[in-house]
Amino acid sequence: MKKKLSLIPFIALLFSLFVIGKSTVAADETTYEIGTDITFAPFEFQNEDKEYVGIDIDLLKAIAKDQGFQVNLRPLGFDTSIQAVQSGQVAGMIAGMSITDERKQSFDFSDPYFESGIQMAVKADDNSIKSYKDLKDKTVAAKVSTESAAFLEKNQKKYGYTIKTYDDANGVYGALKNGTVQAIFDDYPVIGYAVTKGEDLKLVGEPKKGSAYGFAVKKGKNQELLKKFNAGLKKLKDNGEYQAILDRYIASSSNTASDQMKKVTPKKDKYVIASDTAFAPFEFQNSNNEFTGIDVDLLKEAAKMQGFNIEMKFIGFSAAVQAVENHQADAMIAGMTITPEREKSFDFSTPYFESGIQLAVKKGNDKIQSYKDLKGKKVGVKVGTESADYIMNHKDEYGYTVKQFDTADQLYDAVKVNAVDAIMDDYPVIGYAISQGQALQTPIERVTGGKYGFAVKKGQNPELIEMFNEALAEMKRTGKYDQIVNKYIKDGSTTAEKADSVSEKGIIGILKNNYGVLLSGLLRTIGLALLSFAFALILGVIIGLMAVSHIKGLRVFASVYVDIIRGIPMMVLAFFIFFGLPQLIGFTIPDFTAGVITLTLNASAYLAEIVRGGINAVPTGQMEAARSLGLPYSKTMQKIILPQAIKIMLPSFVNQFVISLKDTTLISVIGVVELLQTGKIIVARTLQSADVYFIIAVMYLIVITSLTKFAKVLEKKVK
């Protein structure tokens, strides 16, 4: 009995402790331990303040606030969170967890809070892919062993694309960025999040429905928490807060659509646009001797769409830069890379072309499939280019030797005759060469390079930039941009149309199709030389006579003039006269006129020295004899000294004219298209440097030989 009596208070104590404990636990359970993943953007990840945010986190916190409970978030990782729920260490988990029949055996799930799926994405400026049907003959990427990869494999035959798989997201997104693939597939919230973070992507089509995500608790446990989650989720969906949370992290195809083009009012009747003369496929003369190319077509289309008038001047890259800076042109478009240095002097449009460099080998050379295969080989590049920098920086790594060339035609001829095993150049230039029938292939993916922009002088013509940007965006939206680019470039993913319909193979083909423009260039060269030499002869004789004058001031002036003109390189003199002098005199000097002035000044200095030397070659005794007979100085020079001096000077005059004829090639720097520049333009289109320069050499040879023969006949008659 005592024993029984002694047990009663003990049992009563245990009962009271149990009740108190139960009530305490119930009170404490208003705060729930919730497991989640460490990083699964956009569902859970750390922001820049090291705080966990994301769809799952924001959604759970909003539901907890609405339903009146607290959560203690524990980012354990996906697998660890599963174990923690099973062992009772956390009350539930939210981690982008797909609801599957297998998991339902161990977990109780909430109503689905997110319907996932897979989504296609392309580059933001790619308007050629609008549906799965447009993937034919394209290359598409996905991560290995994912729902996206399975979808691609299942539908490959149906849509006719090629698949590339990568181990991680960096590989997939990087492949799209550098042009290795034309489209990618991934979980649509992941791609949507990438768009919101500024990735250069555009979602195409609606997501393919996939598995649903749910909030999970251990089977049979924490049912009140599940009910609270479902009630809060329904309320958030009804009041719109749920969608606001999704929109915070995910972009959709509907909210990435481009706006319609805005029309901008031009402020000038006509805009003068400067460009290069030979940078195929961006600007070059076609077989009809008309300037065409990506830059030309884009600008003409923009002008048509926005309703402004343009006058294009193809004067060379350097000359175009100077023309814009000196207000001789309103803008320039010439494959101009946007750089921080150039942005100090120019305002640029939205980039209209993302360039890059690429390795090419002779067609049929299958021994080079990677940079490692270049060991012991020779690689050619152009001097001072991005390609040259890249090749020089990696030559020790891959063990090749480097040969540098001054021009593109030398570079492409080198690989043609096996002087080098491979070349590297801007990929659109290589692509154009391939489209024109050059026997090249590109075994290695290109390296991403700079971006090209349409440029105006800083602070000038802002409406011109705005008009170009609006038109460019519309061209990309409608697919016109791709149509223009693909017309000129051929690589692994595009097929270019043949830019020329006329055969220009061999010397006969070039002459047949270009004899008119070659003769025009020759006449311009001869005209420059004759006109400038006539003026130079007059000026040179005057300066030469000053140099032998008995008046000291005239001799000093002549000496200073000759020293200054001969001391300035002719190319620098041409730049000053064409670009610098107009700023001093207040009006523009035409390029041909500037060329004549440059050649005149340059030749006059040398002719003055020829005159001085010729006069001094006449024996001084003749001057003294004439003066002693009472002849004045002027009569002595006119009747006695100069007739003899001219005979002495004549061969040198002819020689100086030949030099002036050759010097016309330097005037092309200010945009004068003489014979050599005409040849360069033809080479840029045909890439047949040997044949073209042979023709030009023969033309120069004929002209100069004829002049030399004529000079000898003239010399005999004079004697």
Side-chain angles (χ1 to χ4, degrees):
M1 188 68 181
K2 187 176 180 180
K3 190 173 182 179
K4 289 181 181 181
L5 289 172
S6 64
L7 289 174
I8 292 174
F10 179 75
I11 293 171
L13 178 62
L14 288 176
F15 179 79
S16 63
L17 288 173
F18 176 78
V19 171
I20 293 171
K22 285 290 287 182
S23 63
T24 302
V25 170
D28 289 343
E29 282 183 348
T30 55
T31 298
Y32 294 98
E33 299 280 331
I34 305 296
T36 189
D37 206 349
I38 297 173
T39 172
F40 180 46
F43 292 93
E44 46 266 327
F45 61 97
Q46 279 189 332
N47 62 15
E48 54 271 14
D49 298 322
K50 305 300 181 183
E51 299 172 340
Y52 271 90
V53 294
I55 295 173
D56 286 350
I57 310 303
D58 292 7
L59 194 60
L60 183 62
K61 287 181 178 179
I63 290 173
K65 181 180 179 181
D66 180 76
Q67 293 296 309
F69 63 88
Q70 300 291 322
V71 294
N72 181 25
L73 200 67
R74 297 181 61 184
L76 305 171
F78 187 88
D79 292 335
T80 305
S81 293
I82 289 176
Q83 297 297 325
V85 172
Q86 292 292 345
S87 62
Q89 295 174 350
V90 296
M93 68 176 287
I94 186 168
M97 189 177 185
S98 299
I99 303 172
T100 65
D101 292 336
E102 183 179 10
R103 286 173 178 163
K104 283 181 179 180
Q105 296 177 13
S106 304
F107 296 90
D108 287 328
F109 286 92
S110 67
D111 296 332
Y113 68 84
F114 189 87
E115 296 286 341
S116 187
I118 57 175
Q119 176 80 54
M120 177 168 65
V122 298
K123 281 187 176 181
D125 59 2
D126 186 350
N127 295 301
S128 64
I129 300 176
K130 297 181 174 64
S131 68
Y132 294 138
K133 293 180 181 179
D134 297 327
L135 292 176
K136 187 176 181 180
D137 298 325
K138 302 287 194 299
T139 305
V140 186
K143 286 183 288 186
V144 175
S145 301
T146 60
E147 193 173 8
S148 298
F151 174 83
L152 290 179
E153 290 173 4
K154 181 179 178 181
N155 293 278
Q156 184 175 15
K157 290 183 179 179
K158 181 178 179 181
Y159 296 114
Y161 47 72
T162 302
I163 303 172
K164 279 183 173 287
T165 55
Y166 296 86
D167 292 331
D168 55 25
N170 290 334
V172 173
Y173 290 82
L176 181 63
K177 187 178 295 184
N178 66 25
T180 302
V181 301
Q182 289 74 59
I184 61 173
F185 279 71
D186 201 356
D187 289 349
Y188 103 79
V190 179
I191 289 186
Y193 175 71
V195 173
T196 66
K197 300 306 289 184
E199 287 292 321
D200 191 29
L201 299 173
K202 177 173 63 178
L203 308 184
V204 178
E206 293 301 320
K208 281 287 182 181
K209 188 174 180 180
S211 55
Y213 296 167
F215 174 75
V217 298
K218 188 176 181 180
K219 196 164 187 68
K221 303 291 185 182
N222 297 304
Q223 296 299 304
E224 77 285 359
L225 177 57
L226 213 54
K227 290 178 182 178
K228 291 177 182 178
F229 187 94
N230 287 337
L233 178 63
K234 183 178 185 304
K235 198 168 182 180
L236 292 182
K237 286 184 175 181
D238 291 341
N239 63 24
E241 189 175 352
Y242 170 85
Q243 190 60 46
I245 291 173
L246 295 189
D247 292 343
R248 193 179 303 158
Y249 296 99
I250 303 176
S252 65
S253 56
S254 61
N255 61 27
T256 58
S258 301
D259 295 330
Q260 293 295 313
M261 180 183 70
K262 180 178 73 173
K263 291 280 285 185
V264 181
T265 303
K267 295 184 179 180
K268 292 185 177 182
D269 293 333
K270 181 174 66 176
Y271 292 93
V272 177
I273 312 297
S275 187
D276 205 346
T277 54
F279 183 51
F282 292 93
E283 43 268 333
F284 61 97
Q285 276 189 334
N286 62 17
S287 58
N288 297 320
N289 300 314
E290 299 171 342
F291 275 99
T292 186
I294 294 173
D295 286 349
V296 180
D297 289 7
L298 283 177
L299 187 59
K300 286 182 177 179
E301 185 67 22
K304 179 181 177 182
M305 294 169 67
Q306 282 288 321
F308 62 94
N309 300 314
I310 59 172
E311 176 189 345
M312 296 204 69
K313 291 188 174 182
F314 300 93
I315 56 177
F317 186 86
S318 297
V321 171
Q322 296 290 332
V324 174
E325 290 186 330
N326 292 289
H327 302 285
Q328 293 173 322
D330 298 301
M332 69 174 288
I333 185 167
M336 189 179 189
T337 303
I338 302 171
T339 66
E341 186 66 27
R342 285 174 176 162
E343 286 180 322
K344 295 176 183 177
S345 304
F346 296 91
D347 289 327
F348 284 94
S349 68
T350 302
Y352 66 84
F353 191 87
E354 186 171 345
S355 187
I357 53 179
Q358 191 164 32
L359 193 83
V361 299
K362 203 170 184 179
K363 194 169 185 179
N365 182 357
D366 297 325
K367 295 180 180 179
I368 298 176
Q369 298 295 323
S370 69
Y371 290 111
K372 293 180 180 179
D373 297 331
L374 293 174
K375 187 174 182 180
K377 303 288 195 301
K378 293 179 183 178
V379 182
V381 290
K382 285 185 293 185
V383 175
T385 60
E386 187 178 8
S387 301
D389 292 339
Y390 183 87
I391 288 297
M392 292 299 292
N393 290 337
H394 293 84
K395 68 175 184 176
D396 293 334
E397 179 182 355
Y398 296 115
Y400 49 73
T401 56
V402 182
K403 293 193 72 173
Q404 300 198 45
F405 300 89
D406 291 326
T407 61
D409 52 283
Q410 294 173 353
L411 180 66
Y412 288 84
D413 283 345
V415 72
K416 189 186 298 182
V417 300
N418 298 317
V420 296
D421 301 287
I423 61 172
M424 181 169 266
D425 200 1
D426 287 2
Y427 96 84
V429 181
I430 287 180
Y432 175 77
I434 294 173
S435 75
Q436 294 304 293
Q438 289 290 301
L440 298 172
Q441 61 189 42
T442 53
I444 305 173
E445 295 297 337
R446 67 178 182 259
V447 179
T448 302
K451 297 180 179 179
Y452 296 164
F454 176 63
V456 300
K457 187 174 183 179
K458 199 158 190 69
Q460 304 292 319
N461 301 306
E463 78 284 357
L464 189 52
I465 290 292
E466 187 178 3
M467 288 188 290
F468 183 85
N469 285 341
E470 288 293 332
L472 178 64
E474 182 69 4
M475 281 186 269
K476 289 182 176 181
R477 188 184 71 82
T478 60
K480 183 66 176 179
Y481 172 87
D482 294 303
Q483 182 182 340
I484 291 173
V485 172
N486 292 345
K487 178 180 176 183
Y488 298 100
I489 297 178
K490 178 181 179 181
D491 58 20
S493 60
T494 61
T495 302
E497 299 174 11
K498 200 73 171 169
D500 293 313
S501 58
V502 181
S503 174
E504 295 183 291
K505 296 298 181 183
I507 293 175
I508 301 300
I510 291 170
L511 283 173
K512 184 178 179 180
N513 198 58
N514 298 282
Y515 71 91
V517 72
L518 285 168
L519 287 176
S520 176
L522 177 62
L523 290 175
R524 194 174 287 109
T525 291
I526 294 174
L528 269 173
L530 285 173
L531 194 58
S532 63
F533 191 78
F535 290 128
L537 191 59
I538 297 169
L539 185 58
V541 169
I542 293 172
I543 300 297
L545 291 174
M546 287 181 178
V548 296
S549 173
H550 59 283
I551 302 173
K552 184 179 179 181
L554 294 178
R555 293 198 307 272
V556 171
F557 175 81
S559 178
V560 171
Y561 175 86
V562 170
D563 288 343
I564 290 175
I565 298 300
R566 291 200 307 181
I568 300 174
M570 195 168 71
M571 192 177 293
V572 176
L573 186 62
F575 272 122
F576 172 74
I577 292 171
F578 186 59
F579 297 117
L581 195 58
Q583 297 184 53
L584 301 177
I585 61 179
F587 60 87
T588 300
I589 300 175
D591 53 8
F592 187 86
T593 303
V596 170
I597 294 172
T598 302
L599 289 167
T600 297
L601 292 175
N602 185 73
S604 68
Y606 292 95
L607 287 171
E609 285 297 282
I610 292 171
V611 171
R612 183 185 66 81
I615 292 173
N616 288 337
V618 178
T620 55
Q622 295 192 35
M623 172 67 77
E624 293 170 355
R627 297 301 299 274
S628 66
L629 292 173
L631 284 175
Y633 178 82
S634 59
K635 284 288 183 181
T636 302
M637 290 295 294
Q638 182 181 354
K639 298 294 185 180
I640 298 172
I641 305 299
L642 285 179
Q644 297 179 72
I646 288 173
K647 293 179 182 180
I648 298 170
M649 292 184 289
L650 190 58
S652 297
F653 280 169
V654 174
N655 184 59
Q656 184 58 45
F657 179 73
V658 171
I659 292 173
S660 293
L661 186 68
K662 293 179 180 179
D663 283 345
T664 57
T665 59
L666 297 175
I667 301 303
S668 63
V669 298
I670 59 173
V672 179
V673 184
E674 38 65 64
L675 181 56
L676 181 60
Q677 186 67 9
T678 300
K680 289 180 179 179
I681 291 170
I682 296 172
V683 169
R685 179 180 73 249
T686 64
L687 300 173
Q688 298 184 67
S689 57
D691 293 338
V692 173
Y693 290 138
F694 175 78
I695 293 170
I696 290 174
V698 170
M699 293 175 74
Y700 271 114
L701 183 62
I702 292 171
V703 172
I704 292 172
T705 302
S706 300
L707 285 171
T708 304
K709 296 292 184 184
F710 172 75
K712 288 181 178 179
V713 172
L714 184 63
E715 188 178 348
K716 287 180 181 179
K717 286 187 176 182
V718 170
K719 287 181 178 179

